Amino acid sequence: MSIQTIHNSIQPQKDILLNHTLYKKIKSIDDLNSFLEIHIYAVWDFMSLLKALQQKLTCTLTPWFPTVNTETRYLINEIVLAEESDLSLDGRRLSHYEMYIEAIEDCKSSTIEIKEFLADVQATKNIFIAIKNSKLDEAVKDFLTFTFKVIERGQAHEIASAFTFGREDLIPSMFTEILKEFKVSFPEVDLSKLIYYFERHIELDADEHGPMAMKMIEELAQEDVIKWKEMEEVAVEALEKRIALWDAIEKEIEKKNYL
């Protein structure tokens, strides 16, 4: 198997996501807020995939010892640096999650729910209990549960697959589609931080992180047929969960507009 084999397997899901009717449903600030308040969970759990990979592929303990694969060590550290400590629009060092939170607040959207959820995660010290006890839509719960089940299994190649094919490889094209709708629909609203966030992702993922993540996939799988097959399965399921998340956001927008 190869990366191209996985690309072929996930193409149907990618086509659905890139042509999803959700994008054209975002026609008002209320619609935008509905999107942001749910999508933030995908922005947040992405950081957990990232840190899980860093834990698996580098040494984050003391005493320190060099990890076996020096190439994957470099690749993941490069991605972590940008995702966790990037330059914000006003020149501060922030994670992409923190940038997104600020962008949401600038849009007068609520961040109360996500902050309460994270507080509950810290209080329970069990992500699965926190997800189960939350009032999140079932699609959001399934999305998060899938992410943390992959992390819990502890297989670096599976985590890398969810990270690469479910996120890094998809984001440039997907966010470009969303950004087009934002620029057309909200010319009178200051969405500078939100647009900066999207454009920054497009720039990093298309030019740097995407190719780095693909190289990481090859380094982790090598000639192991079983690993390639497991990565393919994870990639397909990751995109299926994203489709369900997009469906849930679309239904939320439709429900609010109906009321």
Side-chain angles (χ1 to χ4, degrees):
M1 289 185 69
S2 65
I3 285 177
Q4 188 56 51
T5 304
I6 296 179
H7 277 310
N8 293 341
S9 296
I10 63 177
Q11 194 58 51
Q13 288 79 16
K14 288 181 71 172
D15 289 342
I16 291 172
L17 284 165
L18 294 175
N19 297 288
H20 203 288
T21 51
L22 165 65
Y23 309 127
K24 295 192 181 299
K25 297 288 176 66
I26 303 175
K27 297 179 178 178
S28 69
I29 290 298
D30 285 342
D31 298 338
L32 174 60
N33 288 344
S34 294
F35 173 84
L36 296 175
E37 289 171 15
I38 296 177
H39 182 237
I40 184 62
Y41 292 92
V43 175
W44 172 72
D45 82 337
F46 168 83
M47 297 300 297
S48 291
L49 283 170
L50 177 65
K51 298 304 284 186
L53 277 174
Q54 188 180 36
Q55 290 169 10
K56 291 292 178 182
L57 303 178
T58 74
C59 182
T60 58
L61 304 173
T62 56
W64 176 88
F65 294 97
T67 50
V68 174
N69 193 317
T70 58
E71 190 66 24
T72 55
R73 181 202 309 166
Y74 165 76
L75 292 171
I76 197 61
N77 278 334
E78 278 289 300
I79 297 173
V80 167
L81 178 62
E83 295 288 348
E84 197 171 31
S85 305
D86 203 5
L87 278 175
S88 66
L89 182 61
D90 56 5
R92 290 172 295 140
R93 289 289 178 184
L94 294 175
S95 69
H96 284 190
Y97 167 78
E98 290 164 314
M99 287 185 194
Y100 205 69
I101 285 288
E102 288 193 356
I104 290 176
E105 291 171 345
D106 271 10
C107 294
K108 309 302 180 187
S109 187
S110 175
T111 57
I112 294 173
E113 189 178 71
I114 179 68
K115 289 178 179 178
E116 287 180 345
F117 173 73
L118 295 193
D120 194 43
V121 172
Q122 289 181 308
T124 61
K125 294 181 172 57
N126 187 311
I127 182 63
F128 299 108
I129 290 175
I131 293 170
K132 183 179 179 180
N133 291 344
S134 73
K135 296 179 181 179
L136 296 171
D137 184 277
E138 286 303 314
V140 183
K141 289 184 177 183
D142 287 346
F143 187 90
L144 293 172
T145 298
F146 168 75
T147 294
F148 286 97
K149 284 291 186 183
V150 172
I151 291 172
E152 185 182 52
R153 288 200 296 269
Q155 299 298 311
H157 64 286
E158 290 187 354
I159 300 170
S161 180
F163 177 87
T164 301
F165 299 106
R167 308 299 178 98
E168 292 292 270
D169 181 45
L170 179 69
I171 282 172
S173 298
M174 186 178 67
F175 276 21
T176 300
E177 292 302 311
I178 297 173
L179 198 56
K180 287 178 185 175
E181 298 301 322
F182 287 171
K183 287 182 176 179
V184 171
S185 300
F186 315 116
E188 76 288 354
V189 179
D190 182 11
L191 298 172
S192 56
K193 286 185 179 179
L194 189 61
I195 290 173
Y196 175 81
Y197 170 86
F198 286 148
E199 290 181 338
R200 186 66 178 142
H201 254 288
I202 292 167
E203 176 188 359
L204 283 174
D205 293 343
D207 297 338
E208 299 176 30
H209 293 180
M212 281 183 178
M214 290 302 168
K215 192 169 184 179
M216 178 172 60
I217 287 288
E218 291 180 331
E219 288 286 334
L220 289 172
Q222 299 288 336
E223 303 300 322
D224 191 321
V225 177
I226 294 175
K227 284 185 177 180
W228 279 110
K229 185 62 178 176
E230 289 172 342
M231 287 194 297
E232 180 185 31
E233 292 170 355
V234 167
V236 170
E237 190 171 0
L239 294 189
E240 292 287 357
K241 297 299 183 185
R242 172 76 73 165
I243 292 169
L245 186 70
W246 261 212
D247 290 344
I249 297 174
E250 184 175 28
K251 287 177 184 176
E252 180 65 18
I253 290 172
E254 290 173 343
K255 182 176 71 174
K256 286 184 177 179
N257 286 337
Y258 180 76
L259 295 174

